[in-house]
Amino acid sequence: MNTIITALTSMSPTRFGYALANGTVGIYNQTARYWRIKSKNQAMCIDAFDINSDGVCELITGWSNGKIDVRNDRTGEVIFKDNFASSIAGIVQGDYRMDGSTQLICCSVEGEVRGYLPGTQEMKGRLMDTSVEQDLIRGLSQKKQNLLLELRNYEENSKQVELNTQVNEMDGQRGVIPANTQLQTVCSVNLGSETESAHVELCISTSNDTIIRAVLIFAEGIFENESHVIHPTPQNLSSNIKIPLCPPKDIPVELNIKALVGYKKSTQFHVFELSRQLPHFSMYSFCSPDSANRPLSFVKFTLGEKVQMGVMWIKQNFLLPEDVEMQNESLEVCFTSLRDTGQLGIRMSSSGEITINTDNIDLAGDIIQSMASFWAIEDLQVEADFPVYFDEVHKAFVGVDSSHTVCQKLTANMADRSNSIRSMLVRAEDSRLMGDWKNMKKRYNELYDLNKDLLSQYKIRCTNHSEFLNNLKAINQAIQRAGNLRVGKHKMQVIAACREAIKNNSVNMLIKIMRLGTSCS
């Protein structure tokens, strides 16, 4: 489940700060994330302000516990903070003192207001006050104590190994485990069964008879609130745990894993920490090429790279069975999507020509962008054909014209009816003033019927407008997808040419540009 975005603020022409409902704040530079932090408190508001006068705006965050913190836009490091007695209500900027300089103004829900002037050049980099420094010292001291305790446990463990003593029941309770204990991870594709859907399976195991008491996994975009805890019951404790993963999008995901390892009767456990990267296209199962099921849609281009490099790219971006062997003369592989069983075929000839067969234009674009990043390609033009999808684009284009025509007719009819209502209302009021009750009643009945017709036409107009917006959205998405099939200057050229074709109301030219990347024959 995606977390709700509660606030956005512009940091620069390419960077923006964000806050989420789960207490996360951070900064993105276009599509790349600089940093993020997560708090148990909720970010009530954020703003961008140059508090240390270095020419670059910092991210200012007001929290539900009354804290105000200022973080470096590049690293997220806190360079200044202050505390209010109640939750922060808002953060604004203005020349409050009317001296020509802008101040940062913060207000709490209880009405407490504080203003902050930008630091002078002499104070640059030294905005943290002594209380903050004391907090840092206390935090470091606590970390020191934890590390000393961990070191003592390791020393006791090493003594047991040196004395070649067996790990007895008392040692197991104290959390003593063999020094050579390792935590191993394996990712594979599980095709599912009648009771569970297909998924990626993460298997975590130990290298000996120790058991895994619990596992905590942090991963963005896979789990609710970005974390998942596995805590087997005492009857199901073992040396390995299998965890199903279903990434909703085709993106590389870093899994940060923490596992508690010990014995069944242990009261203390060793914490193992490791990271595992899920490949970009992990939700695709390797299968044998089947020409009968090969998708008709394709993307074709030439890179001039060796087949061996193509094999390397596939091994990095897909989960392959261990016994798979690929030829180095020419390459042909096939995959099945675990989400919708759609087919994906990738072929690469010895001359460097690559053909991608898939009916999913988004998948084709993601693959091309991944290849371009892998081979550091700056510009790439392709030939593409997605018959079914291009038919949908054609229908959406026709739908826009049709909706526009209907809208004009409805607008004209409603204008005529509105004029009729005005004249009819005047005649009805004349009849009332003259005491002609019979004609007055007749006029008002006609007025009532006319009003019902207007309401009915208004509903039709609203429905037509919704269809119009949906078709416009579909066309804009199609342009972005056509651009995503190209790289560099060709991507920008395709987007510009598609918009020019729409401006000229030429659907055939639009489809041609999406296919060939240019309007030229």
Side-chain angles (χ1 to χ4, degrees), residues 129-174:
D129 56 22
T130 56
S131 63
V132 176
E133 293 176 358
Q134 292 298 324
D135 290 341
L136 288 174
I137 292 173
R138 282 194 293 270
L140 291 173
S141 297
Q142 184 62 45
K143 288 183 179 179
K144 178 182 177 181
Q145 294 299 322
N146 294 337
L147 289 172
L148 288 173
L149 179 61
E150 186 175 350
L151 178 61
R152 192 176 303 117
N153 290 333
Y154 278 121
E155 288 174 347
E156 291 180 1
N157 197 3
S158 63
K159 289 178 181 178
Q160 292 288 344
V161 176
E162 290 174 1
L163 295 174
N164 294 322
T165 56
Q166 295 292 327
V167 178
N168 56 33
E169 183 176 354
M170 186 60 66
D171 294 329
Q173 290 180 354
R174 293 204 310 266

Short mmCIF file of all heavy atoms in Angstrom, two decimals, residues 129-174:
data_model
loop_
_atom_site.label_atom_id
_atom_site.label_comp_id
_atom_site.label_asym_id
_atom_site.label_seq_id
_atom_site.Cartn_x
_atom_site.Cartn_y
_atom_site.Cartn_z
N ASP A 129 23.21 24.62 18.13
CA ASP A 129 23.54 25.20 19.42
C ASP A 129 24.08 24.12 20.36
O ASP A 129 24.18 22.94 20.03
CB ASP A 129 22.31 25.89 20.04
CG ASP A 129 21.13 24.95 20.16
OD1 ASP A 129 21.36 23.73 20.18
OD2 ASP A 129 19.98 25.43 20.23
N THR A 130 24.44 24.56 21.57
CA THR A 130 25.11 23.64 22.50
C THR A 130 24.19 22.52 22.94
O THR A 130 24.64 21.40 23.19
CB THR A 130 25.60 24.41 23.72
OG1 THR A 130 24.48 25.10 24.31
CG2 THR A 130 26.67 25.42 23.34
N SER A 131 22.89 22.80 23.04
CA SER A 131 21.96 21.75 23.47
C SER A 131 21.92 20.62 22.45
O SER A 131 21.84 19.44 22.80
CB SER A 131 20.56 22.32 23.67
OG SER A 131 20.05 22.82 22.45
N VAL A 132 21.99 20.99 21.17
CA VAL A 132 22.02 19.97 20.12
C VAL A 132 23.30 19.17 20.20
O VAL A 132 23.31 17.94 20.04
CB VAL A 132 21.87 20.63 18.73
CG1 VAL A 132 21.99 19.59 17.63
CG2 VAL A 132 20.54 21.36 18.64
N GLU A 133 24.41 19.85 20.48
CA GLU A 133 25.69 19.15 20.61
C GLU A 133 25.65 18.17 21.78
O GLU A 133 26.17 17.05 21.68
CB GLU A 133 26.82 20.16 20.81
CG GLU A 133 27.07 21.03 19.58
CD GLU A 133 28.12 22.09 19.84
OE1 GLU A 133 28.60 22.16 21.00
OE2 GLU A 133 28.45 22.83 18.90
N GLN A 134 24.98 18.56 22.87
CA GLN A 134 24.85 17.66 24.01
C GLN A 134 24.01 16.43 23.63
O GLN A 134 24.31 15.31 24.04
CB GLN A 134 24.21 18.40 25.19
CG GLN A 134 25.09 19.48 25.82
CD GLN A 134 26.37 18.89 26.40
OE1 GLN A 134 26.37 17.79 26.94
NE2 GLN A 134 27.47 19.62 26.27
N ASP A 135 22.96 16.66 22.84
CA ASP A 135 22.15 15.53 22.38
C ASP A 135 22.99 14.57 21.55
O ASP A 135 22.86 13.34 21.68
CB ASP A 135 20.96 16.03 21.56
CG ASP A 135 19.93 16.76 22.42
OD1 ASP A 135 19.96 16.57 23.65
OD2 ASP A 135 19.11 17.51 21.85
N LEU A 136 23.83 15.12 20.69
CA LEU A 136 24.70 14.27 19.88
C LEU A 136 25.66 13.47 20.74
O LEU A 136 25.89 12.28 20.51
CB LEU A 136 25.47 15.12 18.87
CG LEU A 136 24.67 15.70 17.70
CD1 LEU A 136 25.55 16.62 16.88
CD2 LEU A 136 24.12 14.57 16.82
N ILE A 137 26.21 14.13 21.76
CA ILE A 137 27.16 13.44 22.65
C ILE A 137 26.46 12.31 23.39
O ILE A 137 27.00 11.19 23.53
CB ILE A 137 27.78 14.45 23.64
CG1 ILE A 137 28.70 15.42 22.88
CG2 ILE A 137 28.56 13.72 24.73
CD1 ILE A 137 29.22 16.55 23.73
N ARG A 138 25.23 12.57 23.88
CA ARG A 138 24.48 11.51 24.58
C ARG A 138 24.19 10.36 23.65
O ARG A 138 24.30 9.18 24.03
CB ARG A 138 23.19 12.10 25.15
CG ARG A 138 23.39 12.90 26.44
CD ARG A 138 22.05 13.16 27.11
NE ARG A 138 21.21 14.04 26.32
CZ ARG A 138 21.21 15.36 26.43
NH1 ARG A 138 22.01 15.96 27.30
NH2 ARG A 138 20.42 16.11 25.68
N GLY A 139 23.82 10.67 22.39
CA GLY A 139 23.54 9.60 21.44
C GLY A 139 24.77 8.77 21.13
O GLY A 139 24.70 7.54 21.06
N LEU A 140 25.91 9.43 20.98
CA LEU A 140 27.15 8.70 20.71
C LEU A 140 27.57 7.86 21.91
O LEU A 140 28.11 6.75 21.75
CB LEU A 140 28.25 9.69 20.34
CG LEU A 140 28.09 10.41 18.98
CD1 LEU A 140 29.15 11.48 18.81
CD2 LEU A 140 28.17 9.41 17.83
N SER A 141 27.34 8.37 23.11
CA SER A 141 27.68 7.60 24.31
C SER A 141 26.83 6.33 24.39
O SER A 141 27.34 5.26 24.75
CB SER A 141 27.46 8.46 25.56
OG SER A 141 28.32 9.58 25.56
N GLN A 142 25.55 6.45 24.03
CA GLN A 142 24.69 5.27 24.06
C GLN A 142 25.15 4.25 23.02
O GLN A 142 25.17 3.04 23.28
CB GLN A 142 23.24 5.69 23.77
CG GLN A 142 22.23 4.56 23.87
CD GLN A 142 22.16 3.96 25.25
OE1 GLN A 142 22.12 4.68 26.24
NE2 GLN A 142 22.17 2.64 25.34
N LYS A 143 25.53 4.74 21.84
CA LYS A 143 26.05 3.82 20.81
C LYS A 143 27.32 3.13 21.30
O LYS A 143 27.54 1.94 21.03
CB LYS A 143 26.32 4.59 19.52
CG LYS A 143 25.07 5.02 18.78
CD LYS A 143 25.43 5.70 17.47
CE LYS A 143 24.18 6.10 16.71
NZ LYS A 143 24.50 6.79 15.43
N LYS A 144 28.17 3.89 22.01
CA LYS A 144 29.40 3.32 22.54
C LYS A 144 29.10 2.17 23.50
O LYS A 144 29.74 1.11 23.44
CB LYS A 144 30.22 4.40 23.24
CG LYS A 144 31.51 3.91 23.88
CD LYS A 144 32.24 5.03 24.61
CE LYS A 144 33.48 4.49 25.31
NZ LYS A 144 34.19 5.57 26.05
N GLN A 145 28.13 2.37 24.42
CA GLN A 145 27.77 1.33 25.36
C GLN A 145 27.24 0.09 24.65
O GLN A 145 27.58 -1.04 25.02
CB GLN A 145 26.72 1.86 26.35
CG GLN A 145 27.22 2.97 27.27
CD GLN A 145 28.39 2.51 28.14
OE1 GLN A 145 28.42 1.37 28.61
NE2 GLN A 145 29.36 3.40 28.36
N ASN A 146 26.42 0.31 23.63
CA ASN A 146 25.88 -0.84 22.88
C ASN A 146 26.99 -1.60 22.17
O ASN A 146 26.99 -2.85 22.15
CB ASN A 146 24.85 -0.35 21.86
CG ASN A 146 23.62 0.23 22.53
OD1 ASN A 146 23.31 -0.09 23.69
ND2 ASN A 146 22.87 1.06 21.82
N LEU A 147 27.95 -0.89 21.62
CA LEU A 147 29.05 -1.55 20.91
C LEU A 147 29.95 -2.31 21.89
O LEU A 147 30.44 -3.40 21.57
CB LEU A 147 29.87 -0.51 20.13
CG LEU A 147 29.17 0.09 18.90
CD1 LEU A 147 30.00 1.24 18.33
CD2 LEU A 147 28.95 -0.97 17.84
N LEU A 148 30.18 -1.73 23.07
CA LEU A 148 30.99 -2.42 24.07
C LEU A 148 30.31 -3.71 24.52
O LEU A 148 30.97 -4.74 24.70
CB LEU A 148 31.23 -1.50 25.28
CG LEU A 148 32.21 -0.34 25.05
CD1 LEU A 148 32.23 0.58 26.28
CD2 LEU A 148 33.61 -0.87 24.76
N LEU A 149 28.98 -3.66 24.71
CA LEU A 149 28.25 -4.87 25.09
C LEU A 149 28.32 -5.92 23.99
O LEU A 149 28.53 -7.12 24.27
CB LEU A 149 26.79 -4.50 25.38
CG LEU A 149 25.87 -5.66 25.78
CD1 LEU A 149 26.36 -6.34 27.05
CD2 LEU A 149 24.43 -5.17 25.96
N GLU A 150 28.20 -5.48 22.76
CA GLU A 150 28.29 -6.42 21.63
C GLU A 150 29.69 -7.01 21.55
O GLU A 150 29.86 -8.22 21.31
CB GLU A 150 27.94 -5.69 20.33
CG GLU A 150 27.86 -6.60 19.13
CD GLU A 150 27.40 -5.87 17.88
OE1 GLU A 150 26.97 -4.70 18.01
OE2 GLU A 150 27.48 -6.47 16.80
N LEU A 151 30.74 -6.19 21.79
CA LEU A 151 32.11 -6.67 21.77
C LEU A 151 32.35 -7.70 22.86
O LEU A 151 33.01 -8.72 22.63
CB LEU A 151 33.07 -5.49 21.93
CG LEU A 151 34.56 -5.82 21.98
CD1 LEU A 151 35.01 -6.49 20.69
CD2 LEU A 151 35.38 -4.54 22.25
N ARG A 152 31.78 -7.48 24.05
CA ARG A 152 31.94 -8.42 25.16
C ARG A 152 31.32 -9.78 24.80
O ARG A 152 31.90 -10.83 25.08
CB ARG A 152 31.29 -7.85 26.42
CG ARG A 152 31.66 -8.62 27.70
CD ARG A 152 31.07 -7.95 28.93
NE ARG A 152 31.50 -6.56 29.05
CZ ARG A 152 30.68 -5.52 29.00
NH1 ARG A 152 29.38 -5.71 28.83
NH2 ARG A 152 31.14 -4.30 29.12
N ASN A 153 30.15 -9.73 24.15
CA ASN A 153 29.51 -10.98 23.73
C ASN A 153 30.37 -11.73 22.71
O ASN A 153 30.49 -12.96 22.77
CB ASN A 153 28.13 -10.70 23.16
CG ASN A 153 27.14 -10.26 24.23
OD1 ASN A 153 27.29 -10.61 25.39
ND2 ASN A 153 26.14 -9.48 23.82
N TYR A 154 30.96 -10.99 21.79
CA TYR A 154 31.83 -11.63 20.80
C TYR A 154 33.06 -12.24 21.45
O TYR A 154 33.52 -13.33 21.06
CB TYR A 154 32.24 -10.61 19.73
CG TYR A 154 31.21 -10.39 18.64
CD1 TYR A 154 30.67 -9.12 18.40
CD2 TYR A 154 30.77 -11.45 17.85
CE1 TYR A 154 29.73 -8.92 17.42
CE2 TYR A 154 29.83 -11.25 16.86
CZ TYR A 154 29.31 -9.99 16.64
OH TYR A 154 28.38 -9.80 15.66
N GLU A 155 33.62 -11.55 22.43
CA GLU A 155 34.80 -12.08 23.12
C GLU A 155 34.47 -13.38 23.86
O GLU A 155 35.24 -14.35 23.83
CB GLU A 155 35.34 -11.04 24.09
CG GLU A 155 36.01 -9.86 23.40
CD GLU A 155 36.42 -8.78 24.39
OE1 GLU A 155 35.97 -8.85 25.56
OE2 GLU A 155 37.17 -7.86 23.99
N GLU A 156 33.31 -13.43 24.53
CA GLU A 156 32.90 -14.66 25.20
C GLU A 156 32.70 -15.78 24.20
O GLU A 156 33.06 -16.94 24.45
CB GLU A 156 31.61 -14.40 25.98
CG GLU A 156 31.77 -13.48 27.19
CD GLU A 156 30.47 -13.27 27.91
OE1 GLU A 156 29.45 -13.86 27.49
OE2 GLU A 156 30.45 -12.51 28.91
N ASN A 157 32.15 -15.45 23.06
CA ASN A 157 31.93 -16.46 22.03
C ASN A 157 33.24 -17.01 21.51
O ASN A 157 33.42 -18.23 21.32
CB ASN A 157 31.12 -15.83 20.89
CG ASN A 157 30.50 -16.87 19.99
OD1 ASN A 157 30.63 -18.06 20.24
ND2 ASN A 157 29.82 -16.42 18.94
N SER A 158 34.21 -16.12 21.29
CA SER A 158 35.50 -16.58 20.77
C SER A 158 36.23 -17.45 21.78
O SER A 158 36.94 -18.39 21.42
CB SER A 158 36.36 -15.37 20.38
OG SER A 158 36.63 -14.57 21.52
N LYS A 159 36.08 -17.15 23.09
CA LYS A 159 36.70 -17.98 24.13
C LYS A 159 36.15 -19.40 24.07
O LYS A 159 36.89 -20.38 24.22
CB LYS A 159 36.46 -17.38 25.50
CG LYS A 159 37.24 -16.10 25.76
CD LYS A 159 36.93 -15.54 27.13
CE LYS A 159 37.69 -14.22 27.38
NZ LYS A 159 37.34 -13.66 28.70
N GLN A 160 34.86 -19.54 23.85
CA GLN A 160 34.26 -20.88 23.75
C GLN A 160 34.86 -21.66 22.59
O GLN A 160 35.15 -22.85 22.70
CB GLN A 160 32.74 -20.74 23.55
CG GLN A 160 31.99 -20.18 24.76
CD GLN A 160 31.92 -21.18 25.89
OE1 GLN A 160 32.16 -22.37 25.70
NE2 GLN A 160 31.60 -20.70 27.09
N VAL A 161 35.08 -20.96 21.47
CA VAL A 161 35.65 -21.65 20.30
C VAL A 161 37.09 -22.05 20.57
O VAL A 161 37.54 -23.15 20.22
CB VAL A 161 35.55 -20.72 19.07
CG1 VAL A 161 36.23 -21.38 17.87
CG2 VAL A 161 34.10 -20.43 18.75
N GLU A 162 37.87 -21.16 21.21
CA GLU A 162 39.27 -21.46 21.50
C GLU A 162 39.41 -22.65 22.44
O GLU A 162 40.34 -23.45 22.33
CB GLU A 162 39.94 -20.23 22.10
CG GLU A 162 40.14 -19.09 21.12
CD GLU A 162 40.66 -17.84 21.80
OE1 GLU A 162 40.88 -17.91 23.03
OE2 GLU A 162 40.86 -16.83 21.10
N LEU A 163 38.50 -22.80 23.37
CA LEU A 163 38.56 -23.91 24.33
C LEU A 163 37.94 -25.19 23.76
O LEU A 163 37.94 -26.23 24.40
CB LEU A 163 37.81 -23.52 25.61
CG LEU A 163 38.43 -22.37 26.42
CD1 LEU A 163 37.51 -21.99 27.57
CD2 LEU A 163 39.81 -22.75 26.93
N ASN A 164 37.43 -25.09 22.48
CA ASN A 164 36.83 -26.25 21.82
C ASN A 164 35.74 -26.90 22.67
O ASN A 164 35.58 -28.12 22.70
CB ASN A 164 37.90 -27.32 21.50
CG ASN A 164 38.88 -26.82 20.47
OD1 ASN A 164 38.49 -26.12 19.53
ND2 ASN A 164 40.14 -27.15 20.65
N THR A 165 35.00 -26.09 23.37
CA THR A 165 33.90 -26.63 24.17
C THR A 165 32.65 -26.70 23.34
O THR A 165 32.42 -25.91 22.43
CB THR A 165 33.66 -25.73 25.38
OG1 THR A 165 33.41 -24.39 24.93
CG2 THR A 165 34.86 -25.72 26.31
N GLN A 166 31.81 -27.65 23.68
CA GLN A 166 30.54 -27.82 23.00
C GLN A 166 29.57 -26.74 23.47
O GLN A 166 29.60 -26.31 24.61
CB GLN A 166 29.94 -29.20 23.28
CG GLN A 166 30.76 -30.34 22.74
CD GLN A 166 30.76 -30.37 21.24
OE1 GLN A 166 29.77 -30.00 20.61
NE2 GLN A 166 31.87 -30.79 20.65
N VAL A 167 28.71 -26.32 22.57
CA VAL A 167 27.68 -25.36 22.93
C VAL A 167 26.61 -26.10 23.70
O VAL A 167 25.84 -26.88 23.15
CB VAL A 167 27.08 -24.71 21.66
CG1 VAL A 167 25.98 -23.74 22.07
CG2 VAL A 167 28.16 -23.98 20.88
N ASN A 168 26.59 -25.88 25.00
CA ASN A 168 25.61 -26.59 25.81
C ASN A 168 24.33 -25.77 25.96
O ASN A 168 24.18 -24.71 25.37
CB ASN A 168 26.20 -26.91 27.19
CG ASN A 168 26.70 -25.65 27.91
OD1 ASN A 168 26.13 -24.57 27.74
ND2 ASN A 168 27.78 -25.80 28.68
N GLU A 169 23.42 -26.30 26.75
CA GLU A 169 22.11 -25.68 26.88
C GLU A 169 22.22 -24.27 27.46
O GLU A 169 21.57 -23.34 27.01
CB GLU A 169 21.22 -26.55 27.76
CG GLU A 169 19.80 -26.01 27.88
CD GLU A 169 18.92 -26.95 28.69
OE1 GLU A 169 19.40 -28.05 29.03
OE2 GLU A 169 17.78 -26.57 28.95
N MET A 170 23.09 -24.08 28.48
CA MET A 170 23.23 -22.76 29.09
C MET A 170 23.82 -21.76 28.11
O MET A 170 23.39 -20.60 28.05
CB MET A 170 24.13 -22.87 30.33
CG MET A 170 24.22 -21.57 31.14
SD MET A 170 22.61 -21.04 31.75
CE MET A 170 22.26 -22.38 32.91
N ASP A 171 24.81 -22.19 27.30
CA ASP A 171 25.38 -21.30 26.30
C ASP A 171 24.33 -20.88 25.29
O ASP A 171 24.26 -19.72 24.86
CB ASP A 171 26.55 -21.98 25.57
CG ASP A 171 27.73 -22.23 26.52
OD1 ASP A 171 27.89 -21.42 27.44
OD2 ASP A 171 28.43 -23.23 26.33
N GLY A 172 23.48 -21.83 24.88
CA GLY A 172 22.43 -21.52 23.92
C GLY A 172 21.48 -20.48 24.45
O GLY A 172 21.03 -19.60 23.74
N GLN A 173 21.17 -20.57 25.76
CA GLN A 173 20.29 -19.57 26.34
C GLN A 173 20.93 -18.20 26.35
O GLN A 173 20.26 -17.18 26.22
CB GLN A 173 19.90 -19.99 27.76
CG GLN A 173 18.97 -21.21 27.81
CD GLN A 173 18.63 -21.59 29.24
OE1 GLN A 173 19.15 -21.03 30.18
NE2 GLN A 173 17.74 -22.57 29.38
N ARG A 174 22.26 -18.14 26.53
CA ARG A 174 22.93 -16.85 26.52
C ARG A 174 23.13 -16.31 25.11
O ARG A 174 23.61 -15.20 24.94
CB ARG A 174 24.31 -16.99 27.20
CG ARG A 174 24.25 -17.29 28.69
CD ARG A 174 25.55 -16.84 29.35
NE ARG A 174 26.71 -17.35 28.63
CZ ARG A 174 27.34 -18.49 28.95
NH1 ARG A 174 26.89 -19.24 29.95
NH2 ARG A 174 28.39 -18.89 28.27
#
